[in-house]
Amino acid sequence: MDCAAVMTFLKRTLVLLWLVSGSAAANTLLILGDSLSAGYGINPNKGWVALVRQQLQPLGWQVINASVSGDTSAGGLTRLPSLLQRHQPQIVLIELGGNDGLRGLPPQSLQQNLSRMAELSQHAGARPLLLGMRLPPNYGPVYTQAFAQSYQDVSNTLNIPLLPFFLEDVALHPELMQADNIHPNEQGQPLMAERVWQWLQPLLKATSSQ
């Protein structure tokens, strides 16, 4: 092998080693959500997940969006173990429960499912972040209060961060909502991304300091 061939081989080897080391060092954010995170009714490239991904990529993070429209907390719990094993995330963002509420499912079941998802994430070495939801008042004060409290109880019991109402700056503004009054439109996505980013930053700092 001549000198030029040796140099070419060494350069390719160094590039390969750089790519492998960079991949091994990459951090992963796993998003487990429903239609609010899956980009229902909008261009997914303009959704809040895509906007957060744009902020994280320069920091060396990859974002895995495992959100499924129509998913419930039970569905997310079923899917989570394989996702944790496959992607080995450092942070798991749990945005589920809205469909539980819309279907009138028991808040106790929601709390149990959220708690189990957070515990599975912690046991896998990831930091969970809960995105809380609220229901419209026509579901009645008893149910809506119990629904909202389920998120808070999980946060308190497991000592994990909770964004109390994911759509707080969006849901009551018709110009930011789609015609169904359930899903934000493209104009509402930057506000959602900004709220998530505020709660995500402390977890990013905590992960980088490890």
Side-chain angles (χ1 to χ4, degrees):
M1 184 180 294
D2 59 28
C3 182
V6 171
M7 292 302 297
T8 300
F9 173 80
L10 289 176
K11 287 180 180 179
R12 289 177 177 174
T13 301
L14 289 173
V15 169
L16 178 61
L17 289 174
W18 179 81
L19 289 173
V20 171
S21 64
S23 176
N27 290 316
T28 299
L29 166 65
L30 173 66
I31 299 176
L32 188 66
D34 51 35
S35 56
L36 297 178
S37 301
Y40 176 87
I42 64 170
N43 181 346
N45 292 326
K46 296 183 178 180
W48 75 264
V49 172
L51 298 177
V52 169
R53 180 183 283 115
Q54 291 173 11
Q55 293 178 286
L56 284 175
Q57 283 180 334
L59 304 178
W61 283 75
Q62 66 172 337
V63 176
I64 305 297
N65 189 4
S67 302
V68 176
S69 293
D71 206 6
T72 62
S73 62
L77 177 57
T78 299
R79 296 191 294 117
L80 182 57
S82 62
L83 291 169
L84 291 172
Q85 182 177 18
R86 186 184 317 142
H87 301 293
Q88 300 182 8
Q90 283 67 48
I91 299 175
V92 176
L93 192 154
I94 303 172
E95 181 275 301
L96 286 168
N99 289 308
D100 296 57
L102 294 177
R103 299 178 188 183
L105 300 179
Q108 297 87 346
S109 298
L110 171 61
Q111 181 176 334
Q112 292 172 359
N113 293 336
L114 292 174
S115 179
R116 184 59 181 150
M117 284 187 280
E119 290 174 337
L120 286 173
S121 301
Q122 290 175 324
H123 292 162
R127 302 174 185 270
L129 168 62
L130 282 180
L131 300 192
M133 288 300 300
R134 297 287 189 271
L135 294 175
N138 58 292
Y139 280 79
V142 174
Y143 185 79
T144 56
Q145 290 172 13
F147 178 85
Q149 188 63 40
S150 63
Y151 291 93
Q152 191 62 61
D153 288 345
V154 173
S155 174
N156 293 341
T157 301
L158 299 180
N159 191 29
I160 60 176
L162 165 67
L163 193 168
F165 183 24
F166 182 31
L167 302 181
E168 182 174 357
D169 299 326
V170 178
L172 298 181
H173 298 274
E175 71 276 11
L176 300 178
M177 300 294 291
Q178 297 182 40
D180 61 9
N181 291 321
I182 295 176
H183 299 92
N185 58 30
E186 291 183 359
Q187 287 68 43
Q189 302 299 314
L191 292 173
M192 298 162 67
E194 182 179 355
R195 284 188 61 77
V196 171
W197 186 251
Q198 291 173 355
W199 287 82
L200 194 57
Q201 282 182 305
L203 297 181
L204 298 174
K205 293 178 182 178
T207 301
S208 64
S209 64
Q210 287 182 335

